[in-house]
Amino acid sequence: MEEKMNEFSNQKRGGFTGKIGFVLSAAGSAVGLGNLWRFPYLTAEYGGGIFILTYIILTVFFGLSLLMLEIGIGRHTGKSVIGAFTKLNKKFKWFGYLCVIVPLLVVPYYCVIGGWVLKYGWSFIVGSEGLLGSGVDTGAFFGGFISSTFEPLVFFLIFALVTVVIVVFGVQKGIERMSKILMPTLAVIAVFLMIYVLCLNGSGDGAKFTLLPDFSKFSFKTVLGALGQMFYSLSIGMCIMITYGSYMKKNVSIKSSSLQIAICDSVFAIIASLIIIPSVFVFAGSNAEAEVILGNNGPNLMFVQLTQVFNSIPGGRLFGSIFFVLVLFAAVTSSVSLVESIVAVLCEDDKMKRGPACAIVFSVILILGSLSSLGFGVLSGVSIAGNSILDMFDLLSNNILLPIVGIMTCVIVGWFVDKKIIPKEIGIDKNKTLRTAFNVITKYIAPIVIFLVLVTGLLDMFGVLSI
Ligand code: PHE
């Protein structure tokens, strides 16, 4: 009976048409700036193949369980986050509210960075003189751009508007349709760029550097780095997968969908590494120099060093244009998932229509995003412990709130919900080994491990330990 009702409420809310729509949309959320920009520099920093291997092992043992957990919660309850946790256990309604805060804090600054990507794509396509050509100071260009008032705001607004408009169209006609077009395009572009780079003279060393393990760089920090990256990259701990799971049909397998999402995410990350690292090697001339460039992480790597690389490699303008279109598509599919998680809460039980809900979210993005955007210019005086406004939003959400939400989700399901419910939803209730593994991971291992990530992230933030 309850299943029937869930089915009914899912239909009423509208949802993904089937497995492909769901997997592509969820993979669209997962594949983003984390894969294209963060993963490559972590790979370079933490020993190439050994980091990739660590990442894959952690994804198989933790990432998949947590992904299935969130999707399972979503589909079982058929609700957005607040409704979902209330339905799981009434005592945890408050936690649902905490969950919505995370995407609400992340999406404004994600749109600001999306705006920067848009600006760079545009500049490469039209051949903007300030950015292209040998001898251009790409650092000065980037600094000049983000510290100006008007331009970054305009690009941020366009990016945010596109995101919100896609969400207004709804799950099926907006998100699913967009993902079905953008994700395959993304794959084609990524593979094309990788083949192109690997054909350039001097890229071989870069490919070896990416894939061969350098055991001397392996340490506890490698594991922590890979773990933090995994949560962010799989969009876990932001309740996005709960929201998307609530739109999933009952006859679609959560197990195999999660596997496909995780594979998609890892493959994109590895391909991105095989684009960025070898192209830096082609440009640098020496391996030592390449490592120095790759060590310059933070937004700088993509907007300063990489553009310098694109400026000098053969066919660089075309390459750069296509690269930034790739990043742009990846960023849009991720920001859409953030907005949808908030809109779903506002529209729960027909409390509000999609249009007005999107307008509210857009207004919040406008206010908080403008603060982040202006934080590098007029508001650069406002800084907390040396961090810009954008960095503060990023640190607060990723280093603090995201792990807390992750831990709590596991604790609630592991300790306060009947332990058969979620495994049944995921479809592993009949397999004793899988079910036990899942229960042990969600009840004990994952909360402890995420707690470690939280503590080390905090120590890192306060400069006690640098990861
Ligand atoms: N998973 C995205 C990435 O890899 C980041 C993200 C996290 C986006 C959560 C949306 C929500 O870039």
Side-chain angles (χ1 to χ4, degrees), residues 70-298:
E70 286 203 5
I71 299 174
I73 294 177
R75 195 172 69 180
H76 172 73
T77 57
K79 299 257 179 224
S80 64
V81 276
I82 298 182
F85 282 104
T86 315
K87 199 166 167 186
L88 279 182
N89 187 325
K90 279 207 188 65
K91 274 192 263 162
F92 292 105
K93 185 172 186 179
W94 63 271
F95 177 66
Y97 284 98
L98 179 72
C99 288
V100 200
I101 294 178
V102 191
L104 211 51
L105 289 179
V106 173
V107 74
Y109 81 81
Y110 205 85
C111 287
V112 171
I113 301 178
W116 297 352
V117 175
L118 186 61
K119 157 80 181 171
Y120 270 65
W122 177 251
S123 303
F124 265 93
I125 290 170
V126 300
S128 157
E129 275 176 19
L131 184 64
L132 300 178
S134 53
V136 166
D137 184 345
T138 53
F141 180 88
F142 182 55
F145 167 64
I146 61 169
S147 61
S148 58
T149 305
F150 194 58
E151 238 198 323
L153 275 182
V154 172
F155 281 101
F156 149 65
L157 277 181
I158 300 174
F159 186 90
L161 202 61
V162 170
T163 302
V164 173
V165 166
I166 293 171
V167 177
V168 173
F169 277 97
V171 178
Q172 232 171 69
K173 296 212 176 82
I175 300 174
E176 179 171 326
R177 199 161 53 172
M178 163 204 68
S179 306
K180 278 183 168 164
I181 300 170
L182 291 192
M183 290 312 285
T185 316
L186 216 63
V188 173
I189 296 181
V191 171
F192 167 77
L193 290 181
M194 180 182 71
I195 295 175
Y196 181 83
V197 173
L198 294 180
C199 291
L200 294 176
N201 253 345
S203 64
D205 275 353
K208 276 193 216 145
F209 182 80
T210 312
L211 296 177
L212 296 180
D214 177 352
F215 291 102
S216 68
K217 289 189 186 152
F218 183 82
S219 69
F220 184 55
K221 279 188 192 170
T222 316
V223 182
L224 284 176
L227 257 178
Q229 168 67 11
M230 187 195 79
F231 289 118
Y232 183 72
S233 190
L234 286 175
S235 304
I236 298 172
M238 296 220 194
C239 304
I240 288 172
M241 294 301 171
I242 295 184
T243 311
Y244 275 18
S246 74
Y247 297 134
M248 191 185 193
K249 284 216 164 95
K250 283 278 179 195
N251 58 2
V252 174
S253 156
I254 294 185
K255 219 174 18 174
S256 80
S257 306
S258 304
L259 189 65
Q260 286 166 4
I261 297 165
I263 291 176
C264 210
D265 188 59
S266 299
V267 169
F268 263 104
I270 295 168
I271 293 181
S273 298
L274 283 173
I275 296 172
I276 292 177
I277 299 176
S279 64
V280 170
F281 272 71
V282 171
F283 161 78
S286 82
N287 295 5
E289 173 73 6
E291 284 190 47
V292 171
I293 298 176
L294 288 164
N296 190 335
N297 48 38

Side-chain angles (χ1 to χ4, degrees), residues 1-10 75-78 87-88 250 421 424-425:
M1 175 67 182
E2 195 185 337
E3 221 149 75
K4 271 245 152 55
M5 276 176 65
N6 274 345
E7 189 77 36
F8 176 69
S9 78
N10 273 2
R75 195 172 69 180
H76 172 73
T77 57
K87 199 166 167 186
L88 279 182
K250 283 278 179 195
I421 290 182
K424 181 156 180 255
E425 188 67 48

Side-chain angles (χ1 to χ4, degrees), residues 17-37:
T17 52
K19 187 172 182 192
I20 298 183
F22 172 74
V23 170
L24 288 181
S25 304
S29 169
V31 176
L33 294 172
N35 306 58
L36 299 177
W37 149 74

